[in-house]
Amino acid sequence: MSAGASDMAQRPATAREVHLLRRPGARMAADDLGIATVAVPPLQPGQFLVRNRLIALDPVRRVFFADGTAPLNAALFGFAIGTVTESRHPDFPEGAIVAHHGGFRDWAISTGANARLIPPTDDPLEWHADALGVGGFFAYVGLFEIGQLRPGETVFVSSAAGSVGSLVTQMARITGCRVIASAGSEAKCAWLREVAGADAAINYRDGEIAGQLSAAAPDGIDLFFDNVGGQQLDAALGVMAKGGRVVIAGMVSAYDALEPLSERHGGWTKQMLTSQVSLRSFDAFEHTRLWPKFQRAVGGWLRSGAISAQIHVLDGIEAVPDAFVDLLAGVRQGKTLVRVG
Ligand SMILES: NC(=O)c1ccc[n+]([C@@H]2O[C@H](COP(=O)([O-])OP(=O)(O)OC[C@H]3O[C@@H](n4cnc5c(N)ncnc54)[C@H](OP(=O)(O)O)[C@@H]3O)[C@@H](O)[C@H]2O)c1
C-alpha cells in the first residue's frame, strides 16, 4: 500500500532514538544511554512506518546492554505500541495500532517480525503494553501453564510489586491461594497487603529472608514464582513444600549487580534432596496457543476490577535514561512506560 498525501504529511524527516553509548559498569548510569537524531529512510516493500505512542521499559534489556547483544551507538530494541502511518506491508495497513519490537525510538520501521495488530478496543492502550501484553502473558503462562497453580496452594512471588509480580500476586489471590509477596520497601509491602490482597508481604531489604519466609509459610511453599534469583531463590529453596514447583521468570537481582545467581548457602540442600522440588525456566513465546485464552481471562479480570494493572507513564523520549536506571533501582511500582510522539 502506498502512502497517501495525508500520511506523507505525517512522515518525519528525522526520528529520535535511544542509543547505548557505552557498556554499563557494575551499576548502570543514566548517561550510559543518550538520545540521537537519525534520518528516516524511505520504506522498502514489506515494511511499514510506525509512530510510536508508548515504549515499554523491561529490566532484562540491562543484560543485553552488558553482554554485547545490544549494539553501541545504534537504535535499541524493546516493546512499543504505535500507529502505522505508512505501509508497504499487506498485513499492517495505515491507521492500524500495532504492538512491535521497535521501541526506544519515536518512529520505527518494521518488517512485521515480532509485531501484532491490536484490534479496536475500549480498553486503555497502556494495558496492551503491560497486563494484556508480553508481561501479562508471561505472568499468566508462568503461573497457570508452567506452574500449574491450584486453588488452596501457598504461593511465594518475588519482585511482587513489579510489572509481572503485581499481576502474579493478584492472579494467585483470585485463584484462591495463600500468597506471600516480597518487595524492596515498606510502601510496596503495604500495597501488596492492603490492595493486592497478599496474605503476607516481606521486605527483602529488612533482615534475613529465610526466617521471614519460614514464618509466613510454616507448611512450606507449593509454588514459587521467582522474578529475582539470588538471595531470595536461595531462601525459598529451603522452604519448599514436598512436590513444590519453582518457576523461574527472571533474575533481576543479577541484572544490575554482581550478585551471584545463587549464593549456594547450602541452606536448601537437604530440602532439595528430600522434597522432590521441580525448578523450571520458560519462554512464554513457546506457548502462544494460549494467547486468546490469556486475553479473555486477563481482559475479563481487568474490566471487572478483580485485578488492576500498575502502570506508571512518563512523558518524552528524554525521560528514558533516568527511567531505566530508576526501574532497576525499584523507584517505582509496576510497569514503567514512556509516552512518545
Ligand atoms: N515484563 C516482561 O515483558 C517480561 C518478559 C519476560 C521476562 N520477564 C522477566 O520477569 C521478571 C519481572 O519482570 P518485570 O518487567 O515485572 O520487572 P520488575 O519486577 O518490575 O523489575 C523491576 C523491579 O525489580 C526489583 N529489583 C531490582 N533489583 C533487585 C534485587 N537486587 N533484588 C530484588 N529485587 C530487585 C525492584 O523492585 P523492589 O523495590 O522490590 O526491589 C524493581 O522495581 C524480570 O526478571 C524479567 O526479566 C519480564
Side-chain angles (χ1 to χ4, degrees):
M1 190 181 297
S2 64
S6 60
D7 301 303
M8 289 306 288
Q10 289 192 51
R11 163 176 262 281
T14 57
R16 291 198 301 163
E17 304 177 335
V18 181
H19 286 191
L20 182 64
L21 303 182
R22 59 170 179 261
R23 303 262 165 235
R27 291 274 174 200
M28 180 147 180
D31 61 4
D32 292 337
L33 299 174
I35 312 294
T37 300
V38 298
V40 178
L43 291 185
Q44 302 300 315
Q47 294 183 330
F48 56 94
L49 179 66
V50 185
R51 181 181 192 128
N52 277 340
R53 292 162 68 170
L54 293 168
I55 56 182
L57 300 189
D58 300 317
V60 77
R61 302 287 149 203
R62 170 66 173 87
V63 177
F64 306 145
F65 296 167
D67 73 3
T69 308
L72 290 174
N73 302 309
L76 296 170
F77 286 89
F79 291 100
I81 293 180
T83 308
V84 178
T85 60
E86 186 185 332
S87 183
R88 298 186 70 186
H89 192 302
D91 301 332
F92 294 90
E94 290 162 21
I97 306 292
V98 62
H100 65 113
H101 206 228
F104 286 101
R105 66 200 91 181
D106 52 6
W107 292 84
I109 290 178
S110 173
T111 60
N114 298 316
R116 66 186 160 82
L117 294 170
I118 297 179
T121 170
D122 292 332
D123 295 336
L125 199 57
E126 288 81 1
W127 286 0
H128 289 275
D130 177 52
L132 289 180
V134 176
F137 190 52
F138 224 78
Y140 182 85
V141 170
L143 199 52
F144 297 111
E145 179 73 3
I146 309 299
Q148 292 290 309
L149 185 69
R150 295 184 284 270
E153 291 192 314
T154 296
V155 180
F156 172 41
V157 188
S158 61
S159 195
S163 162
V164 171
S166 60
L167 295 166
V168 170
T169 299
Q170 297 175 85
M171 289 180 197
R173 178 195 29 96
I174 64 173
T175 303
C177 294
R178 177 176 156 71
V179 185
I180 303 161
S182 74
S185 74
E186 287 308 322
K188 289 182 181 182
C189 286
W191 178 83
L192 286 163
R193 276 189 299 265
E194 291 159 21
V195 182
D199 297 276
I202 292 173
N203 181 349
Y204 69 88
R205 296 183 204 268
D206 184 19
E208 197 233 344
I209 303 162
Q212 296 186 70
L213 259 186
S214 302
D219 297 326
I221 297 162
D222 298 304
L223 178 66
F224 175 28
F225 191 106
D226 189 17
N227 292 305
V228 164
Q231 292 178 341
Q232 296 197 57
L233 179 57
D234 278 344
L237 288 178
V239 189
M240 296 304 294
K242 185 163 188 182
R245 291 96 66 207
V246 179
V247 175
I248 304 286
M251 296 194 164
V252 77
S253 72
Y255 294 174
D256 195 33
L258 300 179
E259 184 179 333
L261 294 188
S262 166
E263 296 189 337
R264 295 189 171 80
H265 284 152
W268 40 260
T269 310
K270 179 164 173 274
Q271 197 76 3
M272 283 295 276
L273 289 174
T274 58
S275 291
Q276 301 164 36
V277 171
S278 68
L279 189 143
R280 221 183 127 181
S281 64
F282 67 104
D283 180 352
F285 295 114
E286 290 183 5
H287 301 271
T288 47
R289 72 181 195 292
L290 296 174
W291 185 268
K293 195 174 168 192
F294 149 71
Q295 287 286 317
R296 278 195 303 279
V298 176
W301 292 332
L302 287 165
R303 287 176 211 116
S304 70
I307 66 171
S308 66
Q310 301 300 303
I311 299 174
H312 196 94
V313 184
L314 299 166
D315 273 313
I317 199 163
E318 314 74 20
V320 170
D322 281 323
F324 198 87
V325 171
D326 288 350
L327 172 70
L328 296 170
V331 168
R332 297 185 187 86
Q333 197 168 302
K335 184 78 185 174
T336 302
L337 302 177
V338 177
R339 191 184 288 119
V340 294

